[in-house]
Amino acid sequence: MSEIKSFSDYTSKYNSNVDFSALFSGTSDSSSVGNTNMLSDYAAIKNGSYGKLMKAYYAKQDAEKLSGKGDTSQKLTLMKTSADSLKKSADALNDSSLLEKKKIKKKDEKTGEEIEVEDYDWDKITKAVKSFVEDYNDVVK
């Protein structure tokens, strides 16, 4: 067996067509760009910016799905849920007991005594109207 004293002896004896420049690219400018990219990718992973970028990307994808560019079955399910809640709030608004006068205890502002007054339950009416408006806006969206 012959002795190998240099790298050129090795390449001439075995496989001289193999390009080993990538192994020794620390000094050449053209191939060090690839190593620099790998190091910058590693640095991005290590400091967390890569993770933030991926979270932002997938959040954008989820937003696009919900905004109308997504799956139609998801949109139909969302529309059905919104329509069902609108129907419930409309039924609550049409309830005849909501618009009947009731005996309510209130404090008299002048004397501070509790008196019984026959009036509409304004809190309940306001809550029913707000619920209807919110559900209607959800359906329109």
Side-chain angles (χ1 to χ4, degrees):
M1 214 166 155
S2 66
E3 189 174 321
I4 298 174
K5 294 184 180 181
S6 69
F7 184 70
S8 61
D9 291 340
Y10 176 80
T11 57
S12 65
K13 184 174 181 179
Y14 293 103
N15 189 356
S16 61
N17 295 331
V18 177
D19 183 18
F20 294 104
S21 64
L23 298 173
F24 306 105
S25 65
T27 58
S28 83
D29 289 336
S30 63
S31 60
S32 67
V33 173
N35 290 340
T36 306
N37 288 339
M38 284 188 349
L39 291 175
S40 66
D41 290 346
Y42 175 72
I45 292 169
K46 189 174 179 183
N47 71 18
S49 63
Y50 182 77
K52 291 177 187 176
L53 178 67
M54 294 308 294
K55 285 179 186 177
Y57 173 78
Y58 285 112
K60 182 180 175 186
Q61 295 295 321
D62 291 341
E64 286 178 359
K65 283 182 182 177
L66 292 177
S67 71
K69 297 178 184 175
D71 190 1
T72 56
S73 65
Q74 272 184 329
K75 285 191 268 182
L76 290 174
T77 304
L78 184 62
M79 287 172 56
K80 183 181 182 320
T81 305
S82 298
D84 288 343
S85 62
L86 179 62
K87 184 182 180 319
K88 286 180 185 177
S89 60
D91 289 342
L93 198 57
N94 285 332
D95 188 13
S96 62
S97 67
L98 186 65
L99 301 175
E100 292 177 357
K101 286 189 176 185
K102 298 175 185 168
K103 293 186 179 185
I104 301 172
K105 291 185 179 181
K106 290 186 177 181
K107 272 191 174 180
D108 189 10
E109 294 178 8
K110 295 178 182 175
T111 61
E113 296 179 13
E114 283 193 15
I115 56 172
E116 195 170 289
V117 179
E118 192 170 322
D119 199 10
Y120 297 106
D121 190 357
W122 291 107
D123 294 334
K124 196 172 183 181
I125 293 171
T126 304
K127 185 177 177 182
V129 170
K130 281 184 181 181
S131 174
F132 176 78
V133 169
E134 289 172 0
D135 292 338
Y136 177 81
N137 288 336
D138 286 341
V139 168
V140 170
K141 283 182 186 176

